[in-house]
Amino acid sequence: MKLLTKFSKSMILATFSSVMKAVMKLRKPVFGTSVATLVLAISSVSVMNMTAPKPLTGYQVTVDGQVWGIFEDEKMVEQTFCAYKERFLKNVEADDIVLNVEFDAKIEIEEVVTPTNVYNSLEVIFDQLHRKKDQAVYYTVQPGDSIWAIAARENVPIATIMTYNPELDVEKIWPNDEIMIESEVPFIDVVVTLETVEIEEVAYETEFIKDNSLFRNQRVVVKPGVEGEKEVTYNITYRNGYPDDVEIIQEVPLKEPVTSVVRIGTMATLRRLGGNNFGVVVGRLSSGFGNRRDPFTKRITFHNGIDISAPRGTPIKAYTDGKVVKAGWDGMGGNMVVIDHGNGLRTEYAHMSSIGVRVGQYVSIGQTIGRVGATGYATGNHLHFSVRVNGKYVNPFNYI
Ligand SMILES: [Zn+2]
């Protein structure tokens, strides 16, 4: 008898609850023939007029075709149903509007003559409404658990866990926390429809302007975009207290978004032509950009470029027009060339067996600047090719 609302508490007379439990076990309306009903009648809680010459009338409640009983007071019957429904409104926020609260069942209340002059107690309705098809299932958090691991193991989507546990902070779960993974299923669903209004962001669009003073794939923001705002009216349907359906009723723009303007480069560069032709060199990709296991130390380290294995002496070509800013020994990089292409873009070529350019020299797109080797920190013949934008290493595959 948990979850009694104040309203229903006042209606249920505690004195006969144990008697009614016995009646309820029979699971259908019980009239004079049963012992339990006789006890109930003698308990004088229900009305039983032994001496009345004419039959009494009562209100028969039928739910989805099943008769629950005959009750004395129609208003009290309605209030019992209402009190149960009100349980599902306790989480409604102040600025939400309740549009509808209803049972997903056909409930009929009909005035009838009682065949035995005995009324059923309202507790029959209360208990019927509180029956469950399934109880809620809780998971007890174990040491080392994460919400993602629990979701995967119990095969429950994270979104569902969040719905069932609105107070849960997914980043902070502790051993012995109880997390609901299946909600209880009552015999009769209560469907609540709310109207709620949210202020939401509107994404901005981006306009690209082709710019032949920038190299291909370079982007310069001319005008930053600004998100707009809109007021969205939703109808949200809750079934037994959990969101079930969302419908957008209306969208009112409040602030138009500001389109972003971006210049995008079109100036020619070498490009990967598929297969083994990486533009700057022909060979086989042996290591990509990003974190990798160092071939010497076996530790995970950041690889600031790509490695392309090729026979010693294979020509290495300038990515695009530019000025040589480094051509010589670099220690780790061995024989190395760095070309400044302007607009913050630089390309780096390492481990060369020979260098074909000198510092200060202007080179043009596709010009041979050196040859593949294994000088410096290298396990075999390959080109280490890096791209920097304003000093920061970026993935070369976004540039070739
Ligand atoms: Zn490398």
Side-chain angles (χ1 to χ4, degrees):
M1 286 288 164
K2 55 187 178 175
L3 285 171
L4 280 174
T5 64
K6 268 185 258 161
F7 197 31
S8 55
K9 251 180 200 155
S10 68
M11 293 187 302
I12 307 295
L13 300 170
T15 47
F16 60 72
S17 69
S18 58
V19 175
M20 284 317 299
K21 284 277 157 51
V23 176
M24 280 304 301
K25 285 210 173 96
L26 298 168
R27 294 183 103 218
K28 57 178 182 184
V30 176
F31 301 111
T33 51
S34 113
V35 175
T37 306
L38 286 174
V39 174
L40 176 68
I42 293 159
S43 78
S44 82
V45 172
S46 289
V47 173
M48 184 174 174
N49 191 339
M50 302 287 242
T51 56
K54 60 174 187 173
L56 290 177
T57 57
Y59 296 89
Q60 177 171 280
V61 172
T62 310
V63 178
D64 280 341
Q66 189 201 16
V67 176
W68 280 11
I70 297 172
F71 305 89
E72 182 183 5
D73 186 333
E74 186 180 21
K75 268 224 155 50
M76 292 300 271
V77 166
E78 284 168 358
Q79 281 175 4
T80 306
F81 279 107
C82 274
Y84 180 79
K85 285 199 288 194
E86 281 181 11
R87 294 169 62 217
F88 296 95
L89 296 177
K90 61 177 187 279
N91 294 328
V92 175
E93 287 175 23
D95 42 4
D96 291 344
I97 301 164
V98 179
L99 298 177
N100 197 18
V101 188
E102 61 185 7
F103 288 101
D104 190 6
K106 191 178 178 203
I107 298 171
E108 293 159 288
I109 302 175
E110 187 188 2
E111 194 176 349
V112 295
V113 173
T114 61
T116 57
N117 286 354
V118 175
Y119 294 120
N120 288 98
S121 144
L122 288 168
E123 190 161 342
V124 171
I125 296 174
F126 182 88
D127 284 353
Q128 285 279 27
L129 287 173
H130 284 79
R131 281 193 305 156
K132 304 281 179 276
K133 269 187 210 154
D134 284 306
Q135 296 295 334
V137 177
Y138 290 87
Y139 175 86
T140 305
V141 175
Q142 305 296 311
D145 264 343
S146 74
I147 203 76
W148 292 272
I150 295 167
R153 201 165 52 235
E154 301 296 322
N155 198 21
V156 182
I158 296 271
T160 304
I161 295 180
M162 308 271 279
T163 299
Y164 290 162
N165 305 272
E167 308 291 314
L168 183 73
D169 178 349
V170 294
E171 303 287 347
K172 287 179 192 151
I173 56 170
W174 300 98
N176 299 321
D177 281 357
E178 297 276 317
I179 295 175
M180 189 195 284
I181 55 173
E182 277 175 45
S183 67
E184 63 177 34
V185 181
F187 266 85
I188 300 177
D189 289 355
V190 172
V191 178
V192 175
T193 309
L194 298 181
E195 182 182 294
T196 185
V197 176
E198 303 284 343
I199 306 295
E200 294 184 3
E201 215 170 63
V202 181
Y204 59 81
E205 295 187 351
T206 303
E207 183 190 333
F208 291 103
I209 300 170
K210 288 181 178 173
D211 185 337
N212 65 6
S213 75
L214 296 175
F215 297 103
R216 196 173 61 82
N217 291 321
Q218 276 196 298
R219 291 171 179 218
V220 174
V221 175
V222 180
K223 186 173 145 196
V226 181
E227 277 97 7
E229 259 179 18
K230 62 182 175 182
E231 190 190 78
V232 186
T233 306
Y234 292 97
N235 276 6
I236 305 180
T237 305
Y238 292 83
R239 186 170 287 268
N240 304 321
Y242 299 109
D244 189 46
D245 191 32
V246 179
E247 197 185 340
I248 294 174
I249 300 304
Q250 179 177 261
E251 287 193 354
V252 179
L254 300 178
K255 200 175 94 186
E256 289 298 327
V258 177
T259 300
S260 154
V261 180
V262 174
R263 288 193 291 139
I264 183 161
T266 58
M267 205 189 285
T269 62
L270 294 183
R271 313 178 63 154
R272 186 176 184 182
L273 296 173
N276 286 339
N277 191 340
F278 292 84
V280 291
V281 75
V282 175
R284 184 180 56 81
L285 179 71
S286 57
S287 189
F289 175 81
N291 290 330
R292 66 160 184 182
R293 192 173 290 274
D294 185 286
F296 290 117
T297 65
K298 310 293 180 201
R299 287 206 198 139
I300 303 291
T301 51
F302 177 70
H303 189 223
N304 66 26
I306 56 173
D307 291 343
I308 299 152
S309 297
R312 182 182 161 88
T314 305
I316 298 168
K317 294 173 175 174
Y319 173 64
T320 187
D321 298 352
K323 182 182 175 185
V324 176
V325 292
K326 182 184 177 77
W329 189 256
D330 179 68
M332 300 277 270
N335 289 322
M336 184 168 167
V337 170
V338 177
I339 303 174
D340 185 348
H341 305 287
N343 290 315
L345 182 72
R346 284 187 173 201
T347 51
E348 302 181 353
Y349 312 79
H351 312 309
M352 292 172 165
S353 57
S354 66
I355 293 176
V357 290
R358 54 193 156 65
V359 172
Q361 182 181 340
Y362 287 88
V363 293
S364 49
I365 177 172
Q367 183 179 335
T368 297
I369 54 171
R371 293 186 180 273
V372 170
T375 54
Y377 195 72
T379 49
N381 289 310
H382 75 280
L383 169 67
H384 172 97
F385 176 63
S386 296
V387 178
R388 285 210 214 200
V389 174
N390 298 322
K392 190 170 174 283
Y393 286 106
V394 294
N395 190 342
F397 281 121
N398 294 333
Y399 284 80
I400 56 173

